[in-house]
Amino acid sequence: MSILIKNKEQIDGIRKSSKLAGELLIYIADFVKEGVSTGYLDELIHNYTIEHGAIPATLNYSGFPKSCCISINEVICHGIPSPDVILKNGDIVNIDVTTILDGYFGDTSKMFTIGQVSDTAQKLVDATKHCLNLGIQQVRPGNNIGNIGYAISRYATAQGFSVVYEFCGHGVGVEFHEDPQIDHAARKNSGPAMKPGMIFTIEPMINEGRPRVKVDEIDGWTARTIDQKLSAQFEHTILVTETGFEVLTDVSNEY
Ligand code: MF3
Ligand code: CO
Ligand code: CO
């Protein structure tokens, strides 16, 4: 395995797919509220994806049964949407969408808060968003990939939180999961140097308590914190440019 440097045609294709993934999260926002099932949200995401000429990458991916991942409270990632799971006041919710448009992949996720959430929950969500931002600010040619995880883990631990190390960001675009692996906790100046044309996700999962993951033995997917404390995640797909970065899934021009 090696890190693919994308050509102009590939970059344009991945840019389009990523834009659609970003738009999906804006579209779904209006529906994410107390009393709604995650199965219903998945249906809306599925239909919007298809109507825009794309395919949800998670559907049937290694047997994953739905068109997005929806992970609530102590679920770290890979929550399976279900008509039986109803959002309730105080929940923190990650929705993770991956599109395939004209064969190219875009991958993004964000947190939603339902009604009134606890101060701790809000602090965790805000800190996790800041972790993604700090990671993105490390993206430029010549910088080591490990500096992304170094920046993230330094901030997360200073806030009293922990960084999940059993799931990582990844190269993306031509395949769903490509090299390199993007660790969200890493040593300063470790890992390969970034080069223009690399495209990868940064998707820190930050825990209120201990960092360890336990995958549900029955469904084989749902990854929870081992102490049942909260976890949050934000994800963007990022292109290394000649001068720095372009956040391909950022459609609200935050970056
Ligand atoms: N979208 C997830 C990621 O960020 C992967 C989900 S794979 C699934 O890499 F099978 F759980 F859907
Ligand atoms: Co990803
Ligand atoms: Co994702």
Side-chain angles (χ1 to χ4, degrees):
M1 294 273 267
S2 60
I3 306 176
L4 191 59
I5 303 296
K6 275 81 174 182
N7 63 32
K8 190 178 177 316
E9 184 185 328
Q10 291 168 326
I11 291 170
D12 285 344
I14 297 162
R15 189 183 278 116
K16 276 192 197 139
S17 189
S18 297
K19 181 164 181 277
L20 178 61
E23 286 165 352
L24 255 170
L25 290 181
I26 290 180
Y27 159 74
I28 203 65
D30 283 345
F31 301 94
V32 183
K33 51 182 184 237
E34 187 176 1
V36 164
S37 79
T38 59
Y40 177 63
L41 296 175
D42 177 72
E43 251 180 64
L44 293 174
I45 284 170
H46 181 88
N47 293 340
Y48 187 98
T49 306
I50 301 293
E51 281 159 17
H52 289 78
I55 300 166
T58 59
L59 188 59
N60 302 320
Y61 173 79
S62 299
F64 191 83
K66 294 288 175 179
S67 297
C68 63
C69 299
I70 305 186
S71 303
I72 305 173
N73 296 337
E74 78 285 359
V75 179
I76 296 169
C77 62
H78 302 167
I80 304 174
S82 159
D84 302 329
V85 176
I86 311 292
L87 300 182
K88 59 181 194 308
N89 183 49
D91 283 345
I92 62 168
V93 184
N94 175 277
I95 301 185
D96 190 337
V97 294
T98 312
T99 47
I100 313 173
L101 184 64
D102 300 329
Y104 295 112
F105 292 74
D107 191 6
T108 183
S109 84
K110 65 174 285 190
M111 297 301 293
F112 297 88
T113 55
I114 309 301
Q116 190 68 37
V117 304
S118 72
D119 288 350
T120 308
Q122 191 62 53
K123 186 183 166 206
L124 178 67
V125 169
D126 293 345
T128 306
K129 183 161 186 185
H130 193 59
C131 282
L132 173 56
N133 182 31
L134 288 172
I136 289 171
Q137 300 306 324
Q138 289 298 320
V139 177
R140 59 184 170 272
N143 197 15
N144 297 91
I145 282 174
N147 286 336
I148 295 170
Y150 177 70
I152 289 170
S153 56
R154 212 172 49 148
Y155 178 75
T157 52
Q159 297 297 304
F161 298 132
S162 68
V163 180
V164 172
Y165 57 84
E166 292 167 89
F167 293 110
C168 303
H170 50 91
V172 67
V174 173
E175 309 278 351
F176 195 163
H177 293 109
E178 304 172 6
D179 274 353
Q181 179 172 310
I182 308 292
D183 294 320
H184 301 112
R187 279 179 209 281
K188 195 171 167 67
N189 296 335
S190 63
M194 295 177 232
K195 293 196 178 109
M198 287 183 182
I199 297 178
F200 49 76
T201 72
I202 304 177
E203 48 182 297
M205 285 145 273
I206 306 298
N207 290 357
E208 175 191 0
R210 297 171 66 186
R212 288 293 307 278
V213 172
K214 183 163 177 26
V215 175
D216 190 289
E217 281 166 18
I218 295 168
D219 70 28
W221 284 104
T222 310
R224 295 189 182 81
T225 57
I226 51 167
D227 54 13
Q228 307 301 315
K229 291 191 177 177
L230 298 173
S231 183
Q233 180 177 30
F234 285 81
E235 173 176 29
H236 272 310
T237 294
I238 295 132
L239 165 70
V240 184
T241 65
E242 296 293 333
T243 53
F245 60 81
E246 180 182 337
V247 182
L248 300 179
T249 41
D250 172 31
V251 292
S252 37
N253 290 317
E254 273 183 64
Y255 293 96

